[in-house]
């Protein structure tokens, strides 16, 4: 079998244990990326590394660019590189009762994912409540787009593009009002996790959710057959559940508190401020750009802050309309008094340690499971 680039480093997790290689590095070396190695050789032994094992591996200076590590036996990878690969083309070797039970749990989990993504009529009310309340929680760390891997260059086929013949259609679409809806994706299918937040124009007519999902899968290097339909269903479901503008624009001083709790990479941003719903000139996107410019934050924070603000605006508008919440006290000065309260109304940046990041990821997974149970009516 032909290989490409340097041979991946092999390592031991125990002094007298088996030698392993990282699956992504072995696949790139064997010129099989994006999971094609496991599809072509289902009998190849593999397992996911635990959190403690990932720490050990990263301490060796290996696998620093991956958030999850699949372990392969080094001897099997070397056999395949030497041409002895027929023995791994058969069924997977996981035939123990524990492995069968794991596959059964995985299958049941995928069935629950499919039913959750379908957005059936019985679950829409609970899903709407879970989605709207999620804006009050911390915005999770987003999935990082896939980096360019070694090996043959992958041809990207984009499902949608514009040309000169569509200029009248573009002009007509540009005349429509822009209604931005905060969209949050939190999917886990066959060991692939996708977390993302963005704004979707409710009046979008030039691209469908399915076409957008294909582009997203292409950027993230996710399997399109598994993720396109759940992503499209999630977008349509959240657009339908969006409450719209429920606060009358002729009201004066309709302020609501907005709280930011955002994590991008190892940086955490916590902030709170008051937002006037009655002012038509307030733009979450402009505010996010200015805040990131003042704090020296990257572009990832801009879209995430705008998503969080718009989500909380929708939440506050809906609760005010439903419960008639009274407005905040009228401002008498531009300075907040007493002065001791100012420290609670200013942005705070924190660089998280690896242990703190792992704890936040566990909390995010726990919150995701809770939201899915609410959506399924469990």
């Amino acid at each position: 079998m032909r290989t490409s680039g340097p041979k991946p480093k092999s390592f031991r997790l125990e002094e007298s244990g088996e030698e392993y290689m990282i699956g992504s590095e072995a696949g790139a070396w064997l010129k099989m990326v994006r999971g094609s190695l496991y599809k072509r050789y289902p009998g190849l032994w593999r397992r996911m590394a635990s959190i403690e094992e990932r720490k050990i591996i990263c301490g060796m200076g290996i696998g620093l660019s991956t958030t999850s590590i699949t372990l392969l036996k080094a001897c099997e990878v070397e056999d395949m590189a030497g041409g002895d690969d027929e023995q791994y083309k058969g069924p997977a070797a996981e035939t123990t009762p524990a492995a069968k039970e794991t596959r059964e749990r995985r299958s049941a989990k995928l069935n629950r994912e499919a039913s959750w993504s379908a957005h059936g009529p019985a679950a829409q009310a609970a899903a709407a409540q879970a989605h709207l309340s999620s804006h009050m929680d911390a915005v999770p760390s987003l999935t990082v787009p896939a980096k360019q891997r070694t090996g043959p260059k992958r041809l990207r086929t984009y499902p949608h593009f514009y040309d000169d013949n569509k200029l009248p259609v573009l002009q007509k679409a540009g005349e429509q009002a822009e209604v931005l809806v905060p969209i949050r994706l939190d999917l886990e299918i066959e060991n692939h996790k996708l977390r993302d937040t963005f704004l979707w124009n409710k009046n979008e007519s030039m691209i469908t959710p399915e076409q957008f999902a294909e582009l997203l899968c292409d950027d993230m290097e996710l399997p399109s057959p598994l993720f396109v339909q759940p992503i499209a269903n999630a977008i349509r479901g959240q657009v339908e559940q969006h409450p719209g503008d429920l606060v009358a624009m002729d009201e004066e001083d309709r302020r609501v508190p907005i709280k930011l709790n955002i994590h991008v990479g190892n940086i955490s941003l916590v902030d709170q401020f008051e937002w006037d719903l009655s002012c038509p000139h307030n733009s979450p996107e402009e505010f996010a750009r200015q805040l990131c410019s003042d704090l020296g934050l990257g572009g990832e924070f801009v879209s995430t802050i705008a998503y969080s603000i718009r989500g909380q605006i929708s939440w506050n508008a809906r609760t005010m309309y439903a419960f008639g919440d009274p407005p905040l006290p009228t401002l008498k000065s531009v300075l907040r008094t007493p002065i001791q309260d100012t420290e609670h109304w200013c942005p705070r940046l924190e660089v998280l340690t690896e242990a703190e990041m792992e704890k936040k990821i566990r909390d995010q997974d726990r919150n995701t499971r809770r939201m899915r149970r609410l959506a399924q009516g469990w």
Side-chain angles (χ1 to χ4, degrees), residues 31 43-44 145 173 177 180 215 253 267 315 318 324-325 330 343:
K31 295 186 176 182
L44 196 64
L180 298 179
L215 291 172
D253 195 14
I267 300 178
W315 168 265
R318 188 177 183 121
D325 293 344
T330 303
E343 63 180 13

Side-chain angles (χ1 to χ4, degrees), residues 122-142:
Q124 284 187 354
Q129 182 179 2
H131 161 64
L132 287 174
S133 62
S134 68
H135 296 298
M136 313 307 291
D137 300 330
V139 178
S141 298
L142 309 182

Side-chain angles (χ1 to χ4, degrees), residues 13 48-60 62-64 66-71 354 358 361:
L13 297 175
M48 299 296 295
S50 64
I51 296 177
E52 295 299 327
E53 290 174 336
R54 278 199 345 242
K55 291 181 180 179
I56 297 174
I57 296 171
C58 292
M60 301 177 184
I62 308 173
L64 298 177
T66 56
T67 57
S68 62
I69 297 177
T70 301
L71 299 178
E354 186 176 352
E358 291 177 355
I361 291 174

